[in-house]
């Protein structure tokens, strides 16, 4: 029998909005939307909890959010600033835990099993970490503490905002039983629909089904889903480095002339497909697209564009890259290399874990 694990999931509350409040105290307590302008069809990156009371959510068009909450203050995202705060938080988390896995800009798993002798001890450590983030940096966060990652993640969601949720070891399936099946990581719209169609609504409906029945319903991932629903997950907190960027480039045998851009556009699509293969496999959502252009005289320039919310299709990447080349190059320009990089990943823990939807037709 393996000894009990103490896993904490720390996730900052309304992260971008909370940073804006730290930078400008007059924003505290107000409905805030961090996102692009409605004129440029911007989407909401995050909404402060005051704005969420009106129904505003991440990924919603800004125009729609402003209809729901006309008094909301709209703020353009400042990614560099958020990154700096994120680094400070991650530094604390690294200092305070033996094993640390950053999942996104504002979220990380900590494995406190080595450091702590009991769950009570792990609660003290996790509480101290939460307090440090609040006192040293000024940011609110929520913490889920459980014997595994899946349960810690769900516990944290239910603690939000500014909460601390401990699931006693052995009580994982009791905690999950009444929750909606959509609370399980990896359950997307397709899987929800299929499970709802046979009357499964609560996590206990999945937990009580046989793995065989689940496999019939959603394929080979039915086994994993059954484990999660019973509160089991033995995946380790892994301190593997997170991917920062993914690139592909092509050097031409002989220089090519930009002309009307058609040839470059075709190459951009090819490079995008190469990059997209890894992006998709790693379940990453980039927000920045960069092109590198090397002219025939070896002069090399890069051009980047960062969009408000994560990019979810290869077409969107190639469109941005084509636009960047079009803005930069003249018809007579001659190139010896073109490169494409995507970066600034947003990895939601849900998407960075197994998505059962991917296995369905
Ligand atoms: N983000 C984004 N686009 C999304 C979701 C999030 O740009 N569709 C950004 C803005 C968020 C940050 O990532 O502030 C962290 O994402 P979270 O999902 O953790 O959301 P928040 O921290 O804003 O809110 P909370 O964790 O309290 O629900
Ligand atoms: Mg967050």
């Amino acid at each position: 029998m393996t000894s009990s694990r103490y896993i904490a999931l720390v996730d900052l509350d309304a992260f971008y909005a909370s940073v804006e409040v730290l930078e400008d105290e007059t924003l505290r307590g107000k409905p805030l939307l961090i996102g692009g302008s409605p004129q440029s069809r911007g989407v909401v990156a995050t909404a402060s909890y005051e704005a969420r009371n009106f129904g505003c959510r991440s990924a919603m068009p800004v125009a729609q959010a402003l209809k729901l909450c006309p008094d909301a203050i709209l703020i353009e995202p400042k990614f560099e600033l958020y990154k700096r705060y994120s680094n400070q938080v991650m530094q604390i988390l690294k200092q305070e835990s033996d094993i640390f896995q950053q999942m996104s800009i504002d979220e990380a798993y900590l494995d406190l099993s080595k450091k702590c002798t009991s769950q009570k001890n792990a609660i003290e450590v996790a509480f101290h970490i939460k307090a440090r983030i609040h006192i040293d940096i000024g940011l609110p966060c929520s913490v889920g503490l459980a014997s595994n990652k899946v349960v810690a993640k769900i516990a944290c969601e239910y603690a939000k905002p500014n909460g601390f949720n401990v699931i006693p070891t052995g009580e994982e399936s009791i905690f999950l039983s009444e929750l909606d099946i959509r609370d399980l990581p990896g359950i997307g719209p397709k899987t929800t629909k299929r499970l709802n169609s046979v009357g499964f609504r609560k996590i206990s409906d999945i937990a009580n089904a046989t793995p065989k029945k689940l496999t019939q319903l959603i394929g080979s991932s039915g086994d994993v889903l059954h484990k999660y629903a019973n509160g089991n997950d033995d995946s380790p907190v892994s301190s593997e480095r997170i991917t920062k960027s993914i690139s592909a480039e092509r050097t031409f045998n002989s220089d090519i002339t930009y002309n009307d851009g058609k040839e470059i556009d075709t190459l951009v699509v090819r490079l995008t497909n190469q990059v997209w293969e890894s992006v998709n496999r790693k379940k990453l959502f980039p927000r920045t697209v960069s092109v590198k252009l090397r002219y025939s005289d070896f002069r090399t320039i890069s051009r980047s564009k960062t969009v408000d919310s994560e990019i979810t299709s290869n077409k969107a990447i190639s469109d941005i890259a084509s636009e960047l080349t079009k803005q930069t190059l003249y018809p007579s320009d001659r190139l010896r290399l073109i490169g494409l990089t995507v970066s600034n990943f947003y990895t939601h823990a849900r998407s960075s874990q197994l998505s059962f939807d991917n296995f369905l037709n």
Side-chain angles (χ1 to χ4, degrees):
M1 151 127 190
T2 50
S3 59
S4 183
R5 294 192 300 155
Y6 312 118
I7 310 293
L9 190 266
V10 178
D11 188 313
L12 300 169
D13 298 328
F15 176 45
Y16 292 1
S18 301
V19 170
E20 294 294 342
V21 170
L22 267 191
E23 294 282 306
D24 176 1
E25 276 298 322
T26 65
L27 298 174
R28 192 174 292 280
K30 298 194 175 145
L32 308 176
L33 299 173
I34 315 303
S37 76
Q39 287 77 27
S40 63
R41 284 182 284 138
V43 292
V44 175
T46 196
S48 65
Y49 276 82
E50 291 79 1
R52 290 184 203 192
N53 287 338
F54 293 85
C56 304
R57 295 284 178 272
S58 290
M60 181 182 267
V62 167
Q64 187 187 346
L66 283 171
K67 268 194 202 124
L68 292 169
C69 183
D71 292 335
I73 301 168
L74 178 63
I75 300 170
E76 290 260 347
K78 306 179 188 76
F79 298 113
E80 292 305 314
L81 178 70
Y82 309 144
K83 191 81 192 81
R84 283 209 300 279
Y85 276 99
S86 165
N87 289 344
Q88 289 177 29
V89 172
M90 296 304 156
Q91 214 44 47
I92 293 184
L93 299 181
K94 259 188 236 170
Q95 281 168 10
E96 299 282 352
S97 61
D98 307 313
I99 310 173
F100 151 93
Q101 181 177 10
Q102 185 173 350
M103 300 303 290
S104 75
I105 191 162
D106 81 329
E107 177 183 17
Y109 284 105
L110 314 178
D111 188 336
L112 304 172
S113 318
K114 255 202 221 150
K115 181 173 177 152
C116 298
T117 48
S118 63
Q119 196 178 47
K120 185 167 168 284
N121 186 199
I123 294 171
E124 288 159 2
V125 170
F127 206 83
H128 165 74
I129 293 171
K130 179 168 159 48
R132 265 197 78 184
I133 295 171
H134 182 69
I135 295 164
D136 295 1
I137 304 176
L139 288 173
C141 71
S142 298
V143 179
L145 181 69
S147 63
N148 63 56
K149 288 165 88 176
V150 163
V151 179
K153 167 78 184 160
I154 302 171
C156 179
E157 288 297 320
Y158 275 88
K160 281 189 164 291
N162 196 18
F164 193 97
N165 198 2
V166 181
I167 309 306
T169 303
E171 293 184 19
E172 295 82 1
S173 61
I174 302 170
F175 162 64
L176 296 178
S177 62
E178 290 299 307
L179 305 183
D180 192 291
I181 57 172
R182 282 172 300 186
D183 287 331
L184 283 174
I187 297 215
K190 275 192 199 167
T191 313
T192 305
K193 205 167 155 204
R194 192 156 302 177
L195 293 173
N196 281 168
S197 73
V198 290
F200 288 11
R201 294 191 189 275
K202 294 191 292 187
I203 294 182
S204 59
D205 296 329
I206 301 177
N208 295 333
T210 60
K212 190 169 163 224
K213 161 112 182 161
L214 284 168
T215 308
Q216 277 164 4
L217 282 169
I218 65 160
S220 56
S221 46
D223 271 346
V224 185
L225 187 59
H226 187 254
K227 276 192 195 139
Y228 287 177
N230 281 287
N232 299 320
D233 168 28
D234 52 16
S235 63
V237 176
S238 121
S239 39
E240 219 176 273
R241 266 176 62 79
I242 59 168
T243 309
K244 293 247 164 86
S245 66
I246 296 175
S247 308
E249 60 180 41
R250 166 87 193 274
T251 306
F252 312 121
N253 294 334
S254 51
D255 297 350
I256 61 163
T257 309
Y258 181 65
N259 290 329
D260 59 359
K262 282 209 178 100
E263 194 174 357
I264 294 280
D265 281 351
T266 310
L267 286 162
V268 161
V269 169
R270 264 194 222 143
L271 292 173
T272 303
N273 289 342
Q274 280 177 37
V275 163
W276 186 250
E277 195 273 322
S278 315
V279 167
N280 221 359
R281 185 164 29 82
K282 297 184 176 175
K283 304 225 162 29
L284 297 168
F285 298 97
R287 205 157 25 200
T288 301
V289 176
S290 313
V291 291
K292 178 164 87 175
L293 302 167
R294 180 163 299 145
Y295 293 89
S296 50
D297 60 2
F298 281 92
R299 213 163 24 101
T300 308
I301 59 163
S302 291
R303 292 286 178 268
S304 299
K305 181 171 178 181
T306 299
V307 295
D308 293 334
S309 71
E310 66 265 35
I311 298 169
T312 53
S313 75
N314 50 352
K315 167 100 175 34
I317 295 176
S318 57
D319 284 353
I320 294 171
S322 294
E323 183 193 321
L324 289 169
T325 55
K326 205 168 289 159
Q327 285 165 356
T328 313
L329 294 168
Y330 293 101
S332 59
D333 281 340
R334 294 180 61 73
L335 292 176
R336 50 181 304 125
L337 174 147
I338 176 164
L340 175 80
T341 300
V342 293
S343 58
N344 205 351
F345 296 117
Y346 172 71
T347 42
H348 198 279
R350 267 178 191 279
S351 41
S352 56
Q353 287 176 356
L354 175 70
S355 173
F356 300 106
D357 270 12
N358 294 343
F359 298 90
L360 297 180
N361 304 317

